């Protein structure tokens, strides 16, 4: 099938005659500008997506998808609540937990942390803490002989200078008033394991014990802090939370999903990703000005050819199509190069963990990258659209050219 003459001429115009080397160089610069803009935008979006998903994965590895709490502070009769919650079709598992702030001490070192008491049999199906334990296991917490066990985050264990097998003191600010005045509650726990989530906030500020020792330490009796729930679809946790709320019926219970508990963090990340998209899209917009200048110079160079085309019957619309196709091809080629470069760079950054991060600031030890088809499509379509729009004015200038002037002295 023969090419339309507009496309054939547009392909020819991508190359310039030998005496106009500058035009070809400008075409390369325009194409490179689009490629660099697309590549930068893809890499940044992949990094933002990777950071968002990695952070989300680590948060949900420790926290439940939905938690059921009691307005009175302690939830009594939790077995009946768990049975009601499990009747929902989206609920995979549910188990009780206890959570409170304490002080850990070992030797002359101390650290304020969250102490979490879990049901060692049910928590394995509700959270992923067991999968992050590097030394020991949850079974060691269930031992009822002697001093109760405790599992610390790796960063927390390093700060306190404790090893597996050491005995540490756990102090609660909710103490008792004795003959000598107010005394904090102190209990000894034996370090039976170390976990590493990979998120500094958890590795340095969380300690895990069995449910019963936690209840005794905080003076809860048979009550718990709440019920943690795992659902089949984390992105439908909001609707599941609403159904659980209706199932419980009582006004003393309320449920919260993981998106509510981390709303500020994920909203900020989402806004930052959108802002980066807008800012880096300006790079492609700047590259489009190069396309405008390249086509304008090409129109000046090709005045005689345009006049000849009009003389033999080419319409204004046909002339516009020639230069619009030329600019479109520049944008398309630049976009393809940028997509390829962005994919390769994102792959290398993610595979070899090239960019390291201070974990105490960014929660992560390296820069994660996650490439999504949606990002590739949105970036490529935006780049091609901007490139196409930039061709309209130069093409219009070419179409309104009077053929008489260039051919007057031929």
């Amino acid at each position: 099938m023969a090419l339309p003459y507009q496309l054939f001429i547009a392909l020819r115009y991508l190359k310039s005659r030998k005496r106009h080397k500058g035009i070809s160089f400008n075409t390369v610069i325009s194409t490179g500008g689009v490629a660099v803009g697309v590549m930068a935008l893809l890499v940044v979006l992949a990094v933002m997506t990777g950071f968002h998903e990695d952070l989300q994965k680590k948060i949900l590895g420790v926290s439940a998808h939905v938690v059921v709490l009691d307005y009175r502070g302690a939830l009594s009769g939790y077995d009946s609540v768990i049975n009601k919650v499990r009747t929902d079709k989206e609920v995979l598992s549910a188990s009780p937990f206890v959570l409170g702030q304490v002080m850990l001490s070992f030797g002359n070192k101390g650290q304020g942390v969250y102490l979490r008491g879990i049901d060692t049999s049910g928590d394995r199906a509700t959270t992923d803490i067991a999968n992050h334990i590097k030394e020991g296991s949850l079974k060691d917490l269930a031992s009822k002989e002697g001093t109760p066990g405790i599992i610390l985050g790796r960063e927390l264990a390093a700060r306190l200078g404790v090893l597996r097998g050491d005995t540490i003191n756990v102090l609660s600010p909710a103490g008792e008033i004795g003959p000598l005045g107010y005394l904090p509650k102190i209990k000894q726990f034996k370090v039976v394991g170390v976990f590493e989530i990979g998120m500094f906030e958890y590795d340095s500020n969380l300690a895990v014990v069995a449910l019963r020792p936690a209840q005794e330490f905080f003076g809860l009796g048979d009550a718990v802090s709440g019920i943690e729930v795992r659902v089949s679809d984390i992105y439908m946790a909001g609707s599941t939370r609403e159904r659980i709320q209706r199932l419980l019926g009582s006004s003393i219970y309320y449920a919260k999903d993981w998106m509510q508990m981390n709303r500020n963090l994920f909203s900020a990340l989402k806004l930052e990703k959108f802002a980066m998209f807008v800012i880096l899209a300006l790079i492609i917009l700047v590259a489009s000005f190069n396309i405008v200048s390249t086509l304008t110079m090409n129109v000046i160079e090709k005045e005689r050819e345009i006049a000849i085309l009009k003389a033999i019957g080419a319409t204004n619309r046909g002339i516009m199509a020639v230069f619009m196709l030329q600019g479109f091809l520049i944008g398309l080629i630049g976009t393809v190069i940028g997509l390829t470069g962005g994919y390769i760079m994102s792959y290398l950054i993610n595979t070899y963990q090239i960019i390291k991060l201070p974990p105490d600031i960014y929660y992560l030890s390296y820069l994660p990258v996650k490439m999504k088809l949606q990002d590739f499509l949105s970036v490529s379509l935006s780049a091609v659209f901007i490139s196409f729009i930039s061709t309209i004015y130069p093409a219009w200038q070419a179409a309104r050219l009077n053929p008489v002037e260039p051919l007057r002295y031929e």
Side-chain angles (χ1 to χ4, degrees), residues 213-271:
Q215 290 174 312
E216 293 174 355
F217 182 74
F218 289 113
L220 294 175
D222 292 328
V224 295
S225 299
I227 308 296
E228 53 187 11
V229 182
R230 190 182 189 93
V231 300
S232 57
D233 187 348
I234 61 172
Y235 298 106
M236 297 299 292
S239 58
T240 304
R241 171 188 56 81
E242 293 174 357
R243 290 197 302 273
I244 289 175
Q245 189 73 62
R246 290 195 295 269
L247 278 172
L248 296 176
S250 176
S251 59
I252 63 174
Y253 302 124
Y254 67 100
K256 298 177 68 176
D257 60 73
W258 67 272
M259 288 178 281
Q260 287 180 318
M261 291 184 285
N262 301 278
R263 177 175 295 172
N264 292 340
L265 175 61
F266 289 114
S267 295
L269 290 174
K270 186 176 181 180
L271 178 61

Side-chain angles (χ1 to χ4, degrees), residues 168-180:
I168 63 174
N169 295 317
V170 179
L171 296 82
S172 171
E176 301 175 348
I177 299 178
L180 300 178

Side-chain angles (χ1 to χ4, degrees), residues 3-4 29 48 75 86 105 107-108 121 133 139 159 178 202 210 234 237 253 275 279 291 313 319 355 366 373:
L3 290 176
I29 293 298
M48 294 297 297
L75 195 155
R86 285 175 176 169
S105 68
N108 60 352
S121 58
I133 296 178
K139 294 180 181 178
R159 286 185 177 185
Y202 291 133
I234 61 172
Y253 302 124
I279 293 170
I291 296 177
I319 298 299
I355 303 176
Y366 69 95
L373 179 61

